[in-house]
Amino acid sequence: MPELPEVETVRTGLTPWVVGRRLHTVEVRHPRAIRRHVPGATHFADVLAGRTITDVRRRGKYLWLPLDSGDAIIGHLGMSGQLLIQPGEAPDETHLRVRFGFDDDGPELRFIDQRTFGGLSVSSGGAELPSEIAHIARDPLDPLFDDREFAARLRRRRTEIKRALLDQSLISGVGNIYADEALWRAKLHGARPTDALTGPAVARLLGHVRDVLSAAIKEGGTSFDALYVNVNGESGYFDRALNVYGQEGLPCARCGTAVRRESFMNRSSFSCPRCQPRPR
DNA sequence: CTCTCCTCCTGATCGC
DNA sequence: TGCGATCAGGAGGAGA
């Protein structure tokens, strides 16, 4: 499940393989992989031919690849999207959606996506920051992330802290796994109302969010199954360091109490009943 | 404007 | 063995 550490691992992995290379043929194998690209899949392929990729950038869980034309390829991995560097002769993956061939006949870039929640598009003039993702907030590892502004906006909200952490327009890059892990580290239950959090509590939580994201990047992200891998097809190792996510019934590493699972927005939240008491 | 919730999708797994 | 139900969940957009 790609969140910031997984997308960042893909970004850094991709950079040396694609920057400076000129696209030759782009083949769209599944039209649904081209998302919110109004002119359609054929236009997507045509407009990219002959363009050179100049960088690989990220905002939250979105990637974009600026082009020498001033446009950019936007990509989101969704639940199961992968960007792989593969030799052109490698057999087609089962869920191969798009393949990018280059002028130099070197390894190609492939977009593979089982559940098709991910997708690609071209942003016209979006090399600096595509307008399509301008509503996504900076992530907490971004040097320009504004802690004070975040705290102020958070306390203005009338919602719960976990919902706020998952709101990409408030803070980006955090998904279900790292939200649960950061809340456990901060000893906060996800249902805590945001407007009652003190300034120091928000600062502590932000510190834990940063710590868990940074630690996960060091491990190459979290892989539960073959759905998330880096650009060379390798798994990340942060699943070994998870304290609550997916650990229902196992003892809390701090106090030994069995980790609980609760339903939340049609999915699951994991927490320690003792360290993270539910607000009354 | 703000907030909540539904929907998109496929494959693994489980119970009958 | 087979088949239906359930779960996984990011993000946009509908609806309140």
Side-chain angles (χ1 to χ4, degrees):
Chain A
M1 286 126 228
E3 302 181 25
L4 186 153
E6 293 75 32
V7 180
E8 178 62 12
T9 301
V10 169
R11 189 193 70 76
T12 55
L14 218 47
T15 301
W17 286 101
V18 301
V19 172
R21 295 178 73 198
R22 193 159 86 137
L23 290 162
H24 183 253
T25 306
V26 177
E27 186 188 353
V28 177
R29 303 285 293 269
H30 195 307
R32 204 179 296 124
I34 309 306
R35 284 293 171 83
R36 291 181 286 281
H37 187 78
V38 180
T42 307
H43 175 269
F44 174 87
D46 291 348
V47 80
L48 293 179
R51 300 273 60 97
T52 297
I53 297 172
T54 60
D55 200 0
V56 184
R57 305 182 65 183
R58 181 182 61 73
R59 161 96 33 146
K61 304 170 196 171
Y62 277 95
L63 289 170
W64 80 97
L65 285 62
L67 304 169
D68 60 349
S69 58
D71 299 337
I73 303 170
I74 305 175
H76 197 292
L77 302 178
M79 280 292 296
S80 55
Q82 304 177 343
L83 287 166
L84 297 184
I85 299 296
Q86 289 278 53
E89 64 271 21
D92 288 1
E93 291 79 2
T94 307
H95 302 291
L96 176 61
R97 307 304 189 194
V98 184
R99 47 196 296 176
F100 299 85
F102 293 90
D103 264 0
D104 55 23
D105 283 336
E108 58 184 40
L109 172 64
R110 296 184 176 186
F111 180 64
I112 295 137
D113 191 12
Q114 178 201 98
R115 296 182 199 165
T116 68
F117 273 24
L120 307 175
S121 61
V122 172
S123 174
S124 183
E128 190 51 38
L129 175 66
S131 58
E132 291 87 342
I133 58 177
H135 64 290
I136 303 291
R138 291 183 186 277
D139 68 65
L141 300 183
D142 186 324
L144 295 180
F145 183 91
D146 188 331
D147 288 25
R148 295 172 67 88
E149 188 199 337
F150 170 73
R153 290 184 67 197
L154 189 67
R155 269 178 287 154
R156 244 181 274 137
R157 295 284 176 103
R158 294 287 179 277
T159 188
E160 299 170 357
I161 185 58
K162 180 163 176 184
R163 290 175 186 276
L165 285 178
L166 297 178
D167 183 342
Q168 304 297 302
S169 68
L170 192 58
I171 179 172
S172 72
V174 181
N176 205 36
I177 297 174
Y178 299 108
D180 278 3
E181 291 298 313
L183 288 167
W184 178 83
R185 290 176 180 225
K187 300 185 186 177
L188 292 174
H189 191 281
R192 292 277 292 267
T194 50
D195 57 357
L197 288 174
T198 64
V202 175
R204 270 198 307 277
L205 176 59
L206 261 184
H208 288 300
V209 171
R210 292 190 168 107
D211 287 350
V212 74
L213 293 177
S214 301
I217 290 172
K218 283 203 184 87
E219 298 296 328
T222 302
S223 303
F224 293 113
D225 47 37
L227 290 187
Y228 162 70
V229 291
N230 70 13
V231 300
N232 300 311
E234 300 153 347
S235 296
Y237 295 106
F238 195 71
D239 58 312
R240 299 169 186 177
L242 295 175
N243 285 295
V244 283
Y245 186 86
Q247 312 296 308
E248 184 183 14
L250 297 176
C252 166
R254 255 188 324 243
C255 74
T257 307
V259 169
R260 79 181 146 200
R261 181 163 81 124
E262 295 171 295
S263 279
F264 170 78
M265 297 170 77
N266 284 336
R267 42 196 64 115
S268 296
S269 284
F270 299 89
S271 58
C272 170
R274 188 163 168 193
C275 302
Q276 303 166 268
R278 199 168 230 295
R280 64 153 204 94

